[in-house]
Amino acid sequence: METQVSEERHNHNLRHVSSNYSQLKAKMKNIILSVILLFLTHKSYSCSCKHSTIKYGFEHSDIIFTGKVVKINAGKIIDSIPSSTEKGKFYIKETSRIEFVFKIIKFIKGKEKPEFITVVTTGGGADCGNYFELNSEHLVYSYKTDIKLSSFDGNEKVDPYYSTSLCTRTKKLKMVKKSEINKLKRLNRRIQ
């Protein structure tokens, strides 16, 4: 009799544990599905570029130089962007606008040969803008543009300025191989 009571108690405990386990398993399943759905529905933006050759970088740059950052002027642009799904609704977008003033070390490509050049970018992140530290030296592949930095569709025009991005071959001068500088000089001689 005692064995039968003990066995019934054991079976009751197993059913109780099994029931709690099933409930816990269902809750975990819901949590995991919620997390997966959260990641699937969240819009993610990142900088994505193809690796370019030296020749491609040369051909798609208006000026190429080595220079040292001597001044940084940081600012913000506040802009409104129309909703693509709701007529009449606008979103506010804040974009960094950073002017990096470079003292030219060596001009490699370009008609102008000033002592200083200002390059404007958004400062990095998902929009592919560069950020340069004060007093750092770089090889800069730059292009002239008249598209407003915060323009979401590229239709807003401003006075032309020089810019660069993470998608160019711009890099710290200490990371540049001598062969890249030599190739740029050869390419520049061909167009002169």
Side-chain angles (χ1 to χ4, degrees):
M1 175 94 166
E2 212 173 282
T3 314
Q4 187 179 4
V5 170
S6 175
E7 199 173 301
E8 285 176 16
R9 206 177 286 148
H10 177 70
N11 287 340
H12 172 73
N13 287 341
L14 280 177
R15 281 192 303 273
H16 183 69
V17 167
S18 178
S19 172
N20 285 345
Y21 177 74
S22 295
Q23 290 173 351
L24 181 62
K25 190 175 171 183
K27 285 181 183 179
M28 289 301 291
K29 188 176 179 182
N30 285 338
I31 289 171
I32 290 170
L33 285 173
S34 297
V35 169
I36 289 171
L37 284 173
L38 178 69
F39 283 108
L40 289 176
T41 59
H42 183 268
K43 283 187 179 178
S44 178
Y45 301 98
S46 66
C47 179
S48 177
C49 339
K50 291 181 181 177
H51 178 73
S52 68
T53 64
I54 295 170
K55 184 178 179 188
Y56 181 89
F58 181 86
E59 291 170 347
H60 291 84
S61 297
D62 294 308
I63 59 171
I64 301 173
F65 63 91
T66 58
K68 180 178 182 175
V69 179
V70 294
K71 187 175 181 184
I72 300 172
N73 299 316
K76 297 276 185 197
I77 299 171
I78 307 295
D79 209 350
S80 60
I81 301 171
S83 170
S84 59
T85 57
E86 298 177 55
K87 189 175 182 176
K89 186 170 183 175
F90 288 82
Y91 297 99
I92 300 299
K93 179 182 175 191
E94 182 177 273
T95 306
S96 293
R97 182 184 193 281
I98 307 175
E99 296 176 352
F100 297 94
V101 179
F102 285 87
K103 178 168 181 21
I104 303 300
I105 297 170
K106 177 82 174 150
F107 230 92
I108 298 168
K109 179 186 178 185
K111 294 175 184 160
E112 304 169 31
K113 294 198 179 2
E115 187 179 349
F116 296 92
I117 279 237
T118 299
V119 176
V120 181
T121 79
T122 57
D127 59 5
C128 300
N130 288 75
Y131 187 84
F132 305 101
E133 297 290 331
L134 191 62
N135 296 315
S136 60
E137 294 180 345
H138 299 266
L139 169 63
V140 179
Y141 289 75
S142 186
Y143 52 89
K144 201 168 217 175
T145 184
D146 63 354
I147 297 172
K148 185 176 177 184
L149 270 182
S150 66
S151 179
F152 65 95
D153 63 2
N155 287 329
E156 293 182 68
K157 304 293 184 188
V158 295
D159 290 334
Y161 60 92
Y162 286 108
S163 190
T164 190
S165 76
L166 295 174
C167 296
T168 68
R169 295 184 59 87
T170 296
K171 59 179 91 62
K172 286 189 176 185
L173 196 52
K174 66 183 178 185
M175 303 300 290
V176 177
K177 294 180 181 172
K178 189 165 181 67
S179 60
E180 182 168 359
I181 298 291
N182 290 337
K183 182 154 187 171
L184 288 169
K185 287 178 181 177
R186 281 193 308 275
L187 289 166
N188 195 45
R189 279 194 294 268
R190 288 184 193 162
I191 64 166
Q192 290 181 350

